[in-house]
Amino acid sequence: TLAGWDIAPRWEPARIVTGDFYDFVPQDDGGLGVVIADVSDKGAPAAIFMAVSRSLLRASVMAYPQPVEAMDHANALIAADADSSMFVTAFLLALEPQGGRLDFVNAGHNPPLVVRADGAVEWLGQDAHGPALGIVLEYRWPQRSVALAPGDTLVLYTDGVTEAINNRDEAFGETRLVEVVAAHRHL
């Protein structure tokens, strides 16, 4: 919980084990570090790599409050130990709860969706992202900032949401994600 904020995480694996994860990391200054990530591949190897990646990302966020520094540190650790076929996409943000400022970095992950109180839609980090973690040893991800106002809705998700297939073999997709979030943003 974070005073003044409604936070509603949901995690549902498509199979018994998964490589998707999220984490909330309280900061010493009262802020909150948030990470959502998706490890390549499926099954037990992805789940093991996810557990290692989650621990490395969490430790990096605790040690480095700025998302770009935390991402750089986590990548150095993950890339040094990653097998050539494994990588992890990640979106990392630092929330300053009093003013609603988000500083964020995107390492190849799906851009989070913001639906503003007035219904305007934004995708965070579409213009500023870099490669997934574990692919290159040294890379400096661009860090961006945005402010959230009362009534705004931020949705972080993995590709399991937009790539979900219905019984007519149609992907859920980004358009439907926007429609559903916009229609229910007042809940």
Side-chain angles (χ1 to χ4, degrees):
T1 60
L2 191 61
W5 291 82
D6 290 326
I7 300 173
R10 179 165 171 91
W11 179 81
E12 187 174 325
R15 298 182 183 164
I16 295 172
V17 294
T18 183
D20 295 1
F21 65 96
Y22 68 88
D23 201 359
F24 298 102
V25 184
Q27 301 291 295
D28 291 338
D29 64 1
L32 185 66
V34 180
V35 64
I36 186 164
D38 184 1
V39 170
S40 62
D41 209 4
K42 305 273 188 254
I48 292 167
F49 192 62
M50 177 273 295
V52 170
S53 298
R54 180 207 172 260
S55 296
L56 294 173
L57 275 160
R58 182 175 185 82
S60 297
V61 171
M62 292 174 75
Y64 301 95
Q66 284 300 310
V68 68
E69 295 169 357
M71 196 72 87
D72 287 348
H73 185 258
N75 181 64
L77 296 171
I78 292 168
D81 199 36
D83 144 330
S84 62
S85 65
M86 299 291 281
F87 59 88
V88 57
T89 66
F91 188 91
L92 172 59
L93 68 87
L95 169 63
E96 187 277 305
Q98 288 71 34
R101 178 185 166 123
L102 301 177
D103 295 323
F104 63 88
V105 176
N106 187 345
H109 197 73
N110 303 82
L113 170 65
V114 176
V115 177
R116 299 292 182 175
D118 66 2
V121 173
E122 296 175 38
W123 296 97
L124 297 186
Q126 268 190 315
D127 63 337
H129 59 85
L133 303 175
I135 293 178
V136 294
L137 190 53
E138 292 185 31
Y139 184 83
R140 188 70 170 185
W141 284 265
Q143 181 170 299
R144 297 292 188 261
S145 298
V146 68
L148 294 180
D152 291 348
T153 301
L154 170 67
V155 177
L156 293 96
Y157 63 98
T158 64
D159 61 7
V161 171
T162 53
E163 294 175 2
I165 303 293
N166 67 15
N167 59 2
R168 293 183 306 266
D169 205 31
E170 301 166 328
F172 186 71
E174 291 178 349
T175 301
R176 285 192 184 125
L177 178 64
V178 170
E179 290 170 355
V180 168
V181 173
H184 302 289
R185 70 183 185 275
H186 301 297
L187 295 179

